[in-house]
Amino acid sequence: TKVPAGNQEAESVFDNHTGIYPIGAELQASADGNYTFDWKVDGDKSQSLLIYSLPHHRESFAGALSQTSIELATPTKGKAIAYIGNKWSFIEPNLPINIEFLPKNFQSRLSTDKKTQILEQAKKDLELDFSNETSTDSTYFSGKRLSKFALLCLVLSEGLDEPNLGATCVDKLK
């Protein structure tokens, strides 16, 4: 990380939290909108994790968290502030429960002509060699193509009510 200009405390805080790093997290949620994010860490587990929060995190923080004076400007997300601790708690009472990948009412939004047009193109895309299409020199572009084929499978299965074509798509994608 970078030591912010003019922050005399930052270097010692960084030194006191070296050797520990996040490798994952476990989210525990309750029906009343309380969430606990338990960071899974590796390294020197006698230390507490030092991790930056963004404004949308801080708006929902619940409970006592150990905030430092370390602040950094991010290019797109606002001010990041470093916190100490291996567990974050949030309150988000109005989160939607049923989240889907496709837009709400996807099928009813499409005219019969549009559904036919999408299905015709999907069938053509299904004939492509998925393995060849996703084997590139770039993990980024290979991932983008895998994502495209996964969306194709989803649209066939759930968006166009074509479960057999969707299953064929998933088998090819595997």
Side-chain angles (χ1 to χ4, degrees):
T1 188
K2 141 184 175 176
V3 176
N7 187 322
Q8 302 302 316
E9 173 194 14
E11 191 168 349
S12 66
V13 170
F14 292 146
D15 288 345
N16 290 331
H17 296 280
T18 59
I20 184 170
Y21 49 92
I23 58 170
E26 182 178 312
L27 178 65
Q28 296 173 349
S30 64
D32 61 357
N34 291 311
Y35 297 85
T36 301
F37 201 67
D38 191 5
W39 293 102
K40 300 301 172 201
V41 297
D42 205 352
D44 183 358
K45 294 180 182 169
S46 69
Q47 299 289 333
S48 292
L49 188 62
L50 177 71
I51 195 159
Y52 287 96
S53 69
L54 296 172
H56 67 280
H57 300 136
R58 294 188 298 274
E59 290 171 2
S60 302
F61 276 164
L65 294 170
S66 182
Q67 180 178 339
T68 70
S69 66
I70 303 169
E71 298 180 0
L72 293 175
T74 68
T76 60
K77 302 292 185 189
K79 186 188 326 178
I81 299 175
Y83 281 79
I84 299 168
N86 295 0
K87 190 176 283 199
W88 287 3
S89 295
F90 301 92
I91 295 178
E92 287 285 356
N94 298 317
L95 288 179
I97 294 172
N98 297 324
I99 300 174
E100 301 290 331
F101 283 101
L102 293 176
K104 196 173 195 124
N105 304 320
F106 179 76
Q107 289 184 14
S108 64
R109 291 178 172 185
L110 299 174
S111 68
T112 303
D113 290 342
K114 285 293 177 193
K115 287 181 187 175
T116 302
Q117 185 180 7
I118 293 170
L119 182 58
E120 286 173 10
Q121 183 60 52
K123 287 178 180 177
K124 290 177 187 173
D125 289 348
L126 194 54
E127 293 174 11
L128 295 171
D129 181 347
F130 286 20
S131 183
N132 186 48
E133 291 286 324
T134 59
S135 299
T136 71
D137 292 340
S138 165
T139 54
Y140 174 80
F141 287 108
S142 291
K144 296 287 276 182
R145 291 176 180 177
L146 283 168
S147 177
K148 169 188 147 181
F149 289 125
L151 183 59
L152 171 66
C153 298
L154 179 66
V155 167
L156 283 167
S157 295
E158 296 180 18
L160 298 175
D161 268 337
E162 293 286 341
N164 293 335
L165 288 176
T168 299
C169 183
V170 168
D171 288 342
K172 282 187 74 170
L173 187 58
K174 288 179 184 177

